[in-house]
Amino acid sequence: MHITDQQLKDHFLQAGIFTKEDLLLLEQRAQETAKEFQDALISEGKISLDELNKIKAKMLGIPFVVFGEEPIDFGVLSLIPEPIARHHNIVSYNKKSETELEVAMLDVEDLGAIEFVKKKVGLKILPRLTTESSVKKAL
């Protein structure tokens, strides 16, 4: 489920988001500042973290969710203890069926958080990517 920098660069090129020259300059800037490529993208203002997460969700084939004005059912939200939710940036927001729970998170590769929630609620966990502001809004 991990997206490598090269996969991301290939996607940017194919989608026409950046040129090869843009990506080479960003790589060079990342090396000069000792940052990861994805961090350099954000710090250089080339893309926002939310936009990057949307792209990653699309590449991974998982939904990207943003919480709006519609409230989350407290019974579903409280399935994950608040300290765990805040520490791992994970929010349960939809009990899809009697066996499945949708959770929004910033890092769908946080297997520890997913396993914890799975053991706690006894349901199959369906991870979804979201924004930091959505997690804060939900909590």
Side-chain angles (χ1 to χ4, degrees):
M1 266 171 105
H2 178 72
I3 295 176
T4 65
D5 287 344
Q6 189 57 52
Q7 290 170 315
L8 200 54
K9 291 172 195 173
D10 292 343
H11 176 80
F12 289 150
L13 287 172
Q14 289 174 349
I17 297 170
F18 295 110
T19 65
K20 195 170 191 172
E21 292 77 23
D22 292 335
L23 294 175
L24 288 172
L25 285 172
L26 282 166
E27 278 183 330
Q28 189 176 40
R29 194 69 63 119
Q31 289 174 352
E32 290 170 0
T33 58
K35 290 183 179 178
E36 296 292 323
F37 174 73
Q38 294 179 29
D39 293 334
L41 276 171
I42 295 164
S43 67
E44 293 288 319
K46 301 297 182 185
I47 196 167
S48 72
L49 179 58
D50 290 353
E51 291 169 324
L52 183 60
N53 281 340
K54 286 179 189 174
I55 290 168
K56 285 181 175 181
K58 182 178 180 181
M59 291 175 70
L60 291 169
I62 61 173
F64 183 83
V65 297
V66 177
F67 301 120
E69 299 302 316
E70 192 173 311
I72 300 170
D73 179 89
F74 184 73
V76 174
L77 182 64
S78 62
L79 289 173
I80 301 175
E82 188 175 348
I84 298 297
R86 288 192 185 282
H87 183 267
H88 292 280
N89 291 303
I90 183 170
V91 175
S92 54
Y93 70 96
N94 183 28
K95 191 170 179 187
K96 196 168 182 170
S97 69
E98 292 301 314
T99 60
E100 296 178 323
L101 179 67
E102 289 182 299
V103 298
M105 51 196 314
L106 298 181
D107 180 8
V108 293
E109 296 176 31
D110 188 348
L111 300 178
I114 293 170
E115 280 303 310
F116 174 82
V117 173
K118 183 179 177 180
K119 286 179 183 176
K120 171 132 178 50
V121 299
L123 300 171
K124 179 180 177 183
I125 303 303
L126 305 173
R128 311 300 190 216
L129 269 175
T130 192
T131 65
E132 189 173 352
S133 60
S134 278
V135 170
K136 287 180 181 178
K137 185 182 284 188
L139 295 174

